[in-house]
Amino acid sequence: MKKFIEEFKTFALRGNMMDMAVGILIGGAFSGIVTSLTDNFITPILKFVTGAERYNLQDVAGFASSFVSALVNFFIMALVLFCLLKVINKLMKLGRKKEEAAAPVTKKCPYCMSEIAIEATRCPHCTSELHMEVEKE
């Protein structure tokens, strides 16, 4: 069960999955803006132009406040998602185990500067005998 949870965590917190989730949420919030724009501005203008309905000044103010409310909701949603992703990314960085540096398997010959096996006592390139310890880079 622990392996399953670990695999799910890796799957769910991958970068592209997080991007997709943010895209869906922002798309939903943006849909609210488009709906508000259509319902509160475009439809009343079309009805006014065609003479289907008459609006007074208070109705227009109500439509504008509804649209502004949808905009504020969108920006609040975007801010919350931004803060949430910052926290998740910070936790992911803390949760990663630092990979230990692998022990070097090669060294440089002090005479010809060729890469040679770390256990070598003679350079295969220049055939020099290696009596001293070579500094690791």
Side-chain angles (χ1 to χ4, degrees):
M1 184 69 171
K2 186 174 182 177
K3 183 179 177 185
F4 176 79
I5 292 172
E6 193 66 34
E7 288 175 0
F8 179 75
K9 182 175 123 183
T10 302
F11 167 76
L13 296 179
R14 272 194 316 221
N16 55 357
M17 287 295 289
M18 297 303 286
D19 293 342
M20 185 179 71
V22 168
I24 290 170
L25 292 172
I26 291 291
F30 190 73
S31 172
I33 291 175
V34 172
T35 301
S36 177
L37 178 68
T38 304
D39 292 345
N40 297 314
F41 283 108
I42 295 174
T43 302
I45 289 171
L46 289 175
K47 286 182 179 181
F48 178 75
V49 169
T50 61
E53 246 181 79
R54 298 286 178 209
Y55 294 103
N56 59 28
L57 196 55
Q58 290 175 343
D59 291 338
V60 173
F63 297 147
S65 71
S66 296
F67 181 69
V68 170
S69 175
L71 280 175
V72 168
N73 287 339
F74 173 78
F75 286 118
I76 288 172
M77 173 74 78
L79 178 67
V80 168
L81 283 174
F82 175 74
C83 294
L84 183 65
L85 285 177
K86 294 254 324 160
V87 169
I88 288 173
N89 287 337
K90 188 168 278 201
L91 289 175
M92 291 297 293
K93 284 181 183 177
L94 292 176
R96 287 189 197 139
K97 296 176 183 171
K98 294 182 180 178
E99 297 178 12
E100 294 181 23
V105 292
T106 61
K107 61 183 177 182
K108 286 195 176 195
C109 172
Y111 303 105
C112 69
M113 303 306 285
S114 299
E115 292 275 330
I116 58 174
I118 197 119
E119 300 88 18
T121 57
R122 184 178 289 268
C123 177
H125 303 285
C126 68
T127 67
S128 300
E129 287 190 34
L130 306 172
H131 295 292
M132 61 184 158
E133 173 110 9
V134 178
E135 291 183 26
K136 297 176 187 172
E137 288 187 28

